[in-house]
Amino acid sequence: MIRKNLKYVILGLFAFFFGVMLTYIITDKFKKEDSNEQSYVIAYQIDKMNKMIVAEQMYSDMYNHTSKKSLPGLGSIYSSDKKVTLLVKAKAQATYDLKQMDIELDSVNKKIIIKSIPPVEIKVYPDVSFYDMDQSVFNRFSKDDLNGIKKRAVAHVEKTIDKTQLKQEAHKQLIQNLGDLYFLAKTYGWQIEDKTEYAPELKRIYY
């Protein structure tokens, strides 16, 4: 009778430990599958971020140039004028090239490491066209004259570009894009190790 009860006890203990091991294996398997799925989703979000963030503004202005030519000592009597008006259009862009972002995904420790983000770049794409030109036979524009005037016209328009506002708009878009990653990491319980200058701002918003 005692031997029979001992047999049941041993079988019961064996079934218990077998159940514990089976539960551990199944749970561990689901954890790995869940971690892999999370890694895939986060990697997909990072891949979506690998693009150009662009803030853009358009500018347009008229640039006038006038010059006079007269014979020595006869300027008060006669001068030959030449005038030109240029239409200058310019597209200004502030960009973050996130394809150059240095970021690492540690799926084992469930951590996203943002190492560096490229600085913002300001680029201007001018388009100059001649709107009006008035010149005389004795005072004509040379090719070098017109090229010099075009350069000054472009420089004039570039000075009117509000680079501060452009940078602010691009910065806002950058924070929104990085914020999506912060939000996703927080949802899945991952950690973000942000080594960039934007970390304090992002943590203040999303944590």
Side-chain angles (χ1 to χ4, degrees), residues 90-126:
K91 178 171 66 176
Q93 292 182 339
T95 62
Y96 285 96
D97 185 2
L98 293 188
K99 292 180 181 178
Q100 305 300 322
M101 178 174 59
D102 190 358
I103 187 168
E104 180 183 331
L105 189 62
D106 183 355
S107 58
V108 176
N109 297 307
K110 300 179 72 173
K111 183 184 292 186
I112 302 167
I113 306 168
I114 306 175
K115 298 180 179 179
S116 66
I117 293 172
V120 64
E121 292 184 9
I122 301 289
K123 294 181 180 180
V124 180
Y125 303 93

Side-chain angles (χ1 to χ4, degrees), residues 10 52 57 61 72 94-95 119 127 131 156 161 169 184-185 204:
I10 293 173
M52 296 284 286
Q57 291 182 6
D61 199 4
T95 62
D127 179 23
Y131 183 76
H156 169 72
I161 294 172
E169 291 176 2
L184 192 62
R204 186 171 65 251

Side-chain angles (χ1 to χ4, degrees), residues 136-196:
S136 69
V137 176
F138 303 103
N139 191 11
R140 302 184 65 84
F141 286 106
S142 68
K143 184 177 179 180
D144 289 340
D145 288 338
L146 295 176
N147 286 336
I149 294 169
K150 285 175 68 174
K151 288 181 180 179
R152 291 194 294 274
V154 171
H156 169 72
V157 170
E158 287 181 343
K159 287 181 180 179
T160 66
I161 294 172
D162 191 343
K163 294 182 179 180
T164 300
Q165 183 182 357
L166 263 179
K167 288 181 179 180
Q168 289 174 349
E169 291 176 2
H171 177 83
K172 184 179 179 180
Q173 292 185 42
L174 174 67
I175 295 301
Q176 288 176 346
N177 276 262
L178 293 174
D180 291 340
L181 187 60
Y182 266 73
F183 180 78
L184 192 62
K186 186 176 181 181
T187 300
Y188 284 134
W190 283 51
Q191 290 183 333
I192 286 190
E193 184 179 330
D194 193 341
K195 300 179 180 180
T196 71

Side-chain angles (χ1 to χ4, degrees), residues 14-29:
F14 177 78
F16 172 76
F17 284 115
F18 178 77
V20 170
M21 289 298 297
L22 185 62
T23 301
Y24 173 79
I25 292 171
I26 293 173
T27 302
D28 186 60
K29 180 182 178 182

